[in-house]
């Protein structure tokens, strides 16, 4: 198996190649990389691939991690919640 | 409504719960795992003094003490959000919403993934998962494994697997790419191992430091690192080879390794196959700070602490009133340091909730954290002290500017 087809975001099935080529083409931040590829936007909320998406953006020199900021924002819920319970929470 | 709520029942959370309860607070501990202990549960190794550190037993002792003091526990319960409303912290879980004026985040650390082609095959797991299977559930992850990533954690776990009778074909590096650039670079890996050479916990470190004390090898460094690697517990440690692929039809059948140059570049034509029925990936640890981020806590990136950590004081307070942190969420260290921090946090929470006369005790507890750190037999970053000082300095700066601001506002 070749490195390019290796899956980075398992939920959305985004490959290494897709991430690296998108980052190269758009010279984008980790956030933009996420929005363009959907990496980190699946079921697990980026628990597995968040750090990898950040590192790819960093390796392009476009996403120098700021001292005081986490580059990909953390959003609730941070764990999967069933629709039934999600409804209850928002009441 | 509880006087104190603690998220995470690792050594930090449990010790904090005990301390709060000893001082008369009613405490609720929430953990998404099914039992108490956190990452302590999987730890099983010989300490430099020859005694055994048995995490299962340590966890049980802490849990029994907490129960006897009346601490309440909710297991199998993930906290998926927290927020401050009407001066109270609101803790959201699928099993209900809880309220408190004293909230402690003791959520520990997570493992950094390092992707390798074929890593989505069944039989590939993080090295921490292999530790939990073996030491907590007493299930062998397989008969013969390969560990990708050479660091303090993977060498400790390799030893644990060896003791459990699981063969490890080798410990080796991942092939370098945009994600694994440090982990895949032999010079950088050797350098980080060199720094921890005073640690005696792991035979790798002991052996490695012996190797590195030899000036010849040290001077020539990684260029002369033995091509065959060196062995600990019969397990070869390869810093000059990298896994370029994990292969298998429906599950792991083995890995392809290649020789790499000192800078991590693969030597073409050097590929060979190693058979294995499971693979562990060890990319290191980082503080699990999601909840602190949701709360709006300020962060600082401190390499020595393992990544972004929430701003906190030596008393384990955050700048957000009633929100405390302890354990690996504040930086990656061993279980004993986490427990010592938990005690300090528990005292700070008791003081915040109005209990008087704890000043001497909390000062003593802060000293204990330092002492425990100095005598720690496991250290994840050689410059941990520098990282700790950095955060304390940031805390002082933030306090001074807060005071100035308050003075200005009258
Ligand atoms: C895989 C791994 C292996 C390690 N091995 C060693 C070792 O061999 N020796 C050593 O000294 N140190 C080891 N460590 C370091 C370890 O983190 C510390 O030893 C110690 O356990 C840290 O204690 P803690 O209380 O901060 O966190 P932990 O022990 O990690 O406990 C945190 C707890 O918080 C819970 N939690 C987290 N988020 C949520 C949430 N949102 N909702 C509900 N519950 C939550 C978790 O389920 C967990 O039980 C290891 C760490 C990891 C990740």
């Amino acid at each position: 198996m070749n490195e390019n087809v290796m899956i980075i975001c398992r939920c959305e099935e985004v490959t290494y190649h897709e991430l690296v080529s998108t980052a190269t083409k758009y010279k984008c931040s980790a956030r933009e990389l996420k929005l363009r590829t959907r990496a980190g936007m699946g079921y697990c909320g980026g628990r597995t691939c968040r750090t990898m998406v950040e590192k790819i953006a960093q390796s392009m020199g476009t996403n120098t991690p700021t001292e005081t900021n986490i580059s990909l924002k953390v959003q609730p819920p941070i764990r999967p919640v069933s629709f039934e319970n999600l409804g209850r929470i928002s009441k | 409504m509880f006087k104190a709520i603690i998220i995470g029942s690792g050594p930090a959370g449990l010790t904090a719960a005990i301390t709060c309860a000893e001082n008369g607070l009613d405490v609720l501990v929430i953990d998404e795992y099914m039992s108490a202990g956190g990452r302590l549960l999987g730890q099983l190794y010989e300490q430099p003094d020859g005694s055994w550190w048995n995490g299962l037993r340590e966890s049980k002792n802490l849990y029994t003490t907490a129960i006897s003091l009346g601490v309440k526990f909710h297991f199998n319960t993930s906290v998926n959000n927290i927020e401050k409303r009407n001066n109270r912290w609101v803790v959201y879980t699928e099993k209900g919403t809880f309220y408190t004026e004293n909230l402690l985040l003791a959520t520990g650390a997570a493992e950094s993934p390092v992707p390798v082609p074929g890593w989505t095959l069944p039989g590939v797991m993080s090295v921490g998962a292999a530790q939990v299977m073996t030491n907590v559930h007493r299930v062998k992850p397989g008969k013969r494994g390969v560990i990708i990533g050479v660091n303090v954690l993977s060498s400790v776990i390799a030893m644990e697997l060896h003791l459990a009778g699981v063969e490890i074909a080798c410990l080796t590096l991942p092939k370098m790419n945009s994600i694994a650039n440090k982990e895949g670079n032999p010079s950088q890996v050797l350098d980080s191992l060199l720094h921890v050479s005073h640690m005696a916990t792991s035979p790798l470190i002991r052996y490695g430091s012996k190797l590195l004390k030899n000036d010849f090898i040290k001077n020539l460094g990684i260029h002369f690192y033995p091509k065959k690697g060196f062995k600990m517990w019969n397990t070869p440690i390869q810093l000059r080879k990298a896994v370029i692929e994990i292969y298998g039809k429906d599950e792991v059948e083995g890995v392809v390794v290649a020789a790499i140059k000192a800078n991590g570049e693969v030597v073409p034509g050097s590929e060979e196959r190693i058979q294995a029925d499971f693979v562990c990936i060890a990319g290191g640890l980082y503080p699990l700070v999601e909840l602190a981020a949701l709360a709006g806590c300020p962060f600082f990136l401190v390499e020595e602490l393992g990544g972004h950590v929430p701003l906190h004081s030596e008393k384990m307070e955050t700048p957000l009133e009633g929100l405390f942190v302890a354990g690996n969420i504040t930086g990656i260290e061993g279980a004993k340091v986490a427990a010592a921090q938990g005690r300090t946090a528990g005292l700070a929470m008791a003081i915040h909730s109005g209990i008087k006369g704890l000043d001497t005790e909390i000062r003593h507890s802060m000293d204990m954290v330092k002492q425990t750190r100095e005598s720690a037999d496991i250290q994840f970053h050689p410059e941990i002290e520098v990282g700790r000082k950095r955060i304390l300095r940031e805390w002082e700066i933030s306090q001074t500017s807060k005071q100035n601001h308050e003075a200005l506002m009258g």
Side-chain angles (χ1 to χ4, degrees):
Chain A
M1 190 206 239
N2 162 315
E3 187 167 79
N4 282 335
V5 298
M6 151 174 100
I7 300 274
I8 299 297
C9 171
R10 296 171 187 226
C11 306
E12 296 287 319
E13 300 195 354
V14 185
T15 63
Y16 179 73
H17 175 73
E18 214 178 321
L19 284 162
V20 171
S21 61
T22 307
T24 315
K25 185 168 169 196
Y26 296 100
K27 308 246 162 298
C28 52
S29 65
R31 182 175 143 73
E32 189 178 332
L33 188 55
K34 163 178 144 177
L35 294 172
R36 285 191 182 277
T37 60
R38 289 201 56 81
M41 294 174 73
Y43 175 78
C44 85
R47 281 188 86 198
T48 316
C49 70
R50 163 191 294 273
T51 57
M52 295 186 283
V53 173
E54 283 174 346
K55 280 185 191 160
I56 290 175
Q58 272 164 36
S59 73
M60 301 291 145
T62 48
N63 190 56
T64 27
T66 55
E67 271 284 277
T68 50
N69 259 318
I70 295 183
S71 54
L72 287 179
K73 203 171 164 237
V74 181
Q75 314 253 35
I78 57 162
R79 298 287 184 274
V81 176
S82 69
F83 270 119
E84 186 197 356
N85 285 330
L86 193 64
R88 200 183 310 151
I89 282 168
S90 62
K91 250 194 277 174
Chain B
M1 179 91 182
F2 286 86
K3 268 274 185 252
I5 294 184
I6 294 171
I7 306 175
S9 71
L14 286 174
T15 312
I18 292 170
T19 311
C20 284
E22 280 169 350
N23 286 287
L25 273 56
D26 63 323
V27 190
L28 171 67
V29 178
I30 304 175
D31 199 300
E32 57 193 349
Y33 200 60
M34 57 199 167
S35 53
R39 287 299 173 175
L40 182 56
L41 287 169
Q43 300 175 16
L44 183 65
Y45 52 80
E46 199 178 350
Q47 306 185 89
D49 67 3
S51 64
W52 282 80
W53 177 248
N54 180 339
L56 271 180
R57 198 165 57 208
E58 300 287 336
S59 304
K60 196 168 168 232
N61 288 346
L62 288 170
Y63 179 62
T64 329
T65 309
I67 288 288
S68 72
L69 289 164
V71 174
K72 298 264 178 327
F73 285 86
H74 281 319
F75 292 115
N76 298 306
T77 308
S78 295
V79 174
N80 52 50
N81 193 12
I82 57 172
E83 66 177 340
K84 193 154 197 190
R85 243 196 229 169
N86 308 327
N87 281 324
R88 289 188 309 182
W89 286 99
V90 189
V91 177
Y92 297 99
T93 78
E94 278 203 279
K95 302 219 177 116
T97 304
F98 304 93
Y99 303 87
T100 188
E101 278 162 10
N102 297 286
L103 179 61
L104 173 65
L105 305 179
T107 48
E111 298 184 75
S112 301
V114 173
V116 177
W119 77 318
T120 42
L121 277 170
V124 182
M125 62 193 82
S126 75
V127 79
Q131 184 185 44
V132 170
M133 280 178 84
T134 311
N135 296 345
V136 183
H137 302 292
R138 304 287 158 102
V139 173
K140 289 185 182 181
K143 290 197 181 75
R144 186 172 202 257
V146 169
I147 298 182
I148 305 176
V150 180
N151 52 44
V152 174
L153 187 63
S154 70
S155 63
V156 170
I157 297 177
M159 176 189 67
E160 292 171 350
L161 288 166
H162 173 83
L163 293 173
V166 177
E167 185 191 352
I168 298 299
C170 70
L171 262 82
T172 186
L173 305 189
K175 178 184 165 289
M176 260 212 289
N177 56 35
S178 300
I179 297 165
N181 38 39
K182 261 191 292 190
E183 299 82 359
N185 182 315
S187 302
Q188 290 203 25
V189 172
L190 189 69
D191 201 41
S192 67
L193 292 176
L194 188 66
H195 282 295
V196 290
S197 59
H198 63 280
M199 282 179 19
T201 319
S202 144
L204 163 65
I205 308 305
R206 244 182 276 152
Y207 199 104
S209 63
K210 222 188 278 166
L211 191 75
L212 294 162
K213 279 204 188 93
N214 179 323
D215 277 348
F216 174 72
I217 293 179
K218 199 149 83 183
N219 290 340
L220 300 178
I222 194 69
H223 292 280
F224 277 76
Y225 184 83
K227 277 260 151 44
K228 283 197 175 143
F230 60 85
K231 282 190 172 182
M232 73 160 200
W233 301 109
N234 251 339
T235 306
I237 317 276
Q238 308 277 13
L239 296 186
R240 292 300 297 276
K241 286 186 182 165
V243 172
I244 55 173
E245 185 190 345
I246 303 166
Y247 69 86
K249 196 166 152 284
D250 299 316
E251 57 187 344
V252 173
E253 290 169 24
V255 300
V256 180
V257 296
I260 49 172
K261 297 181 188 158
N263 63 5
E265 254 175 68
V266 170
V267 179
S270 64
E271 295 85 357
E272 57 181 309
R273 285 180 168 227
I274 297 177
Q275 278 187 5
D277 62 353
F278 76 103
V279 169
C280 299
I281 294 186
L285 303 173
Y286 67 92
L288 192 57
V289 298
E290 312 147 290
L291 291 172
L294 290 181
C297 207
F299 279 90
F300 287 90
L301 177 64
V302 186
E303 202 60 53
E304 295 85 358
L305 300 180
H308 280 97
V309 294
L311 182 60
H312 60 275
S313 70
E314 212 173 350
K315 291 183 179 156
M316 313 316 287
E317 317 144 285
T318 71
L320 307 178
E321 206 214 325
L323 187 71
F324 302 81
V325 285
N328 276 204
I329 188 177
T330 71
I332 307 303
E333 293 190 78
K336 290 178 188 171
V337 177
Q341 290 178 319
R343 178 158 173 77
T344 305
L347 289 167
M349 292 163 85
I351 293 170
H352 182 252
S353 76
I355 312 269
K356 301 265 179 283
L358 294 175
D359 294 355
T360 323
E361 218 173 320
I362 195 166
R363 234 174 292 125
H364 178 245
S365 171
M366 279 148 55
D367 286 341
M368 279 309 291
V369 173
K370 283 192 202 138
Q371 280 181 35
T372 313
R373 177 169 299 131
E374 279 158 20
S375 60
D377 44 49
I378 188 161
Q379 196 180 331
F380 290 89
H381 197 288
E383 301 292 345
I384 183 76
E385 207 53 73
V386 173
R388 289 291 171 199
K389 287 209 178 95
R390 165 84 204 284
I391 275 291
L392 288 187
R393 203 170 54 237
E394 296 293 351
W395 174 264
E396 277 153 24
I397 294 170
S398 79
Q399 290 307 101
T400 316
S401 71
K402 193 173 135 197
Q403 278 159 13
N404 291 345
H405 184 75
E406 278 163 7
L408 266 176
M409 305 305 280

